[in-house]
Amino acid sequence: QMRDASELLDITDDTNPLFVRLSSAGLKNSRSHDINFSAGYSNMVHMQNYYFGGNWNVQGNSVASATLYDRTTGITTYKPLNISGNWNVSANGRYSRNIDKNDHWELATRLFLSYRHSADYISDTRSEATQILRSVVHNYNTSTYLHLKYMYKKTNVMAEGSANWQVQNSDRNNFSRVSAVDFNYGIKANGPIMWGLEYDTDIKMFSRRGYNDSSMNDDYLIWNLSLSKSLLKGKPLTLRLEIVDLLGQRSNVQNTINSQGRTETWHNSVPRYALLHVVYKFNSMARKKPAKPDEG
């Protein structure tokens, strides 16, 4: 991957004297190597599907934003630097099939395992460190998903649940080990109701446990609902009212943990809203030209 030209120029941006950005003329181009494999099997009898796959990726000369904080002056200095040692390996499997003779019930499950070796530069603002230090964090992830679905004519009802177990560990000073679980469970349904109306709804409980930051160990129930109706001859016009987070449970501030074990906060999202969709479908059939007399 070619470097951004602005990173190679000898420029110091000290527009804000407390946040100084330096260039790095000696940056090398990044490299990425991947190995992927997969195998699958499908059978139309009871709609059986089996899949297994894996991936290995290693990155060389990745560009990290090295940060150094001077406790004496309060100045934070940023500089892009190459770093190697980032690699990850993963494996996943999927299985689904109808479990009754009339194919009304479907069972599906997924399993995902991964390990990420994350290398970055870090400066500890709580210490007297005067140089940028290398940080290596070991990330282990195990996630699983399961659903049971009932299908009859145009009606579908599905109960589903998923969980993700994340473990992070490092030998660096002041690192707080993470062993946390994010899980959710709920019901989805869609189909016709009365007066030509169709509904699509899902209600799901989201929970997090085991985080060192108590504000991240939370629960919130999310209910989304949409109603739609098709109009006019041939039903080319569709009106659909969509309501997201009907109960107003989701916060517009979200905290997550990145691969270095640092908390990232996201603001200014719109978690609750209503939206009216108006969709018109144009269908035009090509006219067949009449044959000429000499063409038969």
Side-chain angles (χ1 to χ4, degrees):
Q1 180 182 355
M2 300 293 292
R3 297 271 49 83
D4 187 338
S6 63
E7 296 176 342
L8 303 177
L9 299 176
D10 188 11
I11 297 175
T12 298
D13 182 1
D14 57 358
T15 306
N16 185 339
L18 294 179
F19 296 90
V20 179
R21 294 185 179 273
L22 304 178
S23 60
S24 186
L27 282 179
K28 300 178 182 179
N29 292 333
S30 300
R31 302 187 307 271
S32 180
H33 304 280
D34 286 273
I35 296 178
N36 298 280
F37 70 91
S38 63
Y41 169 77
S42 297
N43 191 323
M44 295 302 293
V45 178
H46 298 305
M47 302 301 293
Q48 301 176 66
N49 292 282
Y50 306 85
Y51 173 86
F52 177 77
N55 169 265
W56 173 81
N57 170 266
V58 60
Q59 300 175 16
N61 295 328
S62 300
V63 177
S65 179
T67 305
L68 186 62
Y69 175 72
D70 190 330
R71 293 174 60 88
T72 304
T73 63
I75 297 175
T76 302
T77 303
Y78 299 91
K79 184 177 182 179
L81 292 176
N82 286 120
I83 191 169
S84 293
N86 285 288
W87 61 275
N88 64 83
V89 61
S90 65
N92 67 93
R94 299 194 300 267
Y95 163 77
S96 66
R97 64 161 292 163
N98 295 337
I99 57 176
D100 68 309
K101 64 179 182 179
N102 296 318
D103 292 335
H104 291 319
W105 293 90
E106 177 192 71
L107 178 68
T109 185
R110 298 194 298 266
L111 178 65
F112 176 80
L113 305 171
S114 73
Y115 168 76
R116 177 180 294 275
H117 188 273
S118 175
D120 200 356
Y121 293 113
I122 187 170
S123 175
D124 189 351
T125 60
R126 294 172 291 180
S127 70
E128 299 292 340
T130 58
Q131 61 181 349
I132 298 171
L133 304 176
R134 179 183 172 91
S135 168
V136 173
V137 178
H138 308 282
N139 296 265
Y140 305 88
N141 275 86
T142 302
S143 63
T144 184
Y145 170 83
L146 177 69
H147 83 231
L148 180 63
K149 184 178 181 180
Y150 177 75
M151 302 165 287
Y152 181 72
K153 295 183 178 179
K154 294 183 178 181
T155 298
N156 299 282
V157 179
M158 180 171 69
E160 63 178 350
S162 66
N164 180 72
W165 179 31
Q166 181 179 12
V167 176
Q168 292 181 308
N169 206 358
S170 175
D171 294 329
R172 81 172 191 235
N173 294 331
N174 299 320
F175 184 87
S176 298
R177 183 178 183 272
V178 176
S179 179
V181 178
D182 293 29
F183 58 97
N184 61 76
Y185 51 91
I187 294 176
K188 291 182 177 181
N190 63 74
I193 42 179
M194 60 184 71
W195 306 317
L197 288 170
E198 294 188 0
Y199 76 98
D200 190 338
T201 187
D202 64 89
I203 184 166
K204 186 177 293 186
M205 175 65 81
F206 292 85
S207 302
R208 299 191 290 186
R209 296 290 185 273
Y211 288 95
N212 299 321
D213 183 349
S214 59
S215 67
M216 297 181 65
N217 298 315
D218 51 15
D219 301 279
Y220 50 93
L221 183 67
I222 302 298
W223 183 15
N224 302 318
L225 174 66
S226 71
L227 296 172
S228 62
K229 182 176 177 61
S230 297
L231 304 170
L232 305 181
K233 184 179 179 180
K235 298 184 178 181
L237 178 64
T238 300
L239 302 179
R240 182 164 68 95
L241 176 63
E242 178 184 13
I243 304 175
V244 175
D245 191 13
L246 190 64
L247 303 177
Q249 294 290 299
R250 180 173 291 169
S251 171
N252 66 336
V253 178
Q254 297 182 4
N255 294 324
T256 61
I257 298 290
N258 65 17
S259 61
Q260 279 289 309
R262 295 188 288 253
T263 302
E264 297 182 340
T265 303
W266 300 82
H267 299 271
N268 299 326
S269 61
V270 182
R272 189 185 190 192
Y273 61 89
L275 188 63
L276 179 63
H277 301 261
V278 180
V279 180
Y280 190 89
K281 298 179 181 179
F282 294 90
N283 294 318
S284 178
M285 299 295 292
R287 294 184 178 180
K288 185 177 180 181
K289 294 182 178 179
K292 295 180 180 180
D294 58 346
E295 291 178 348

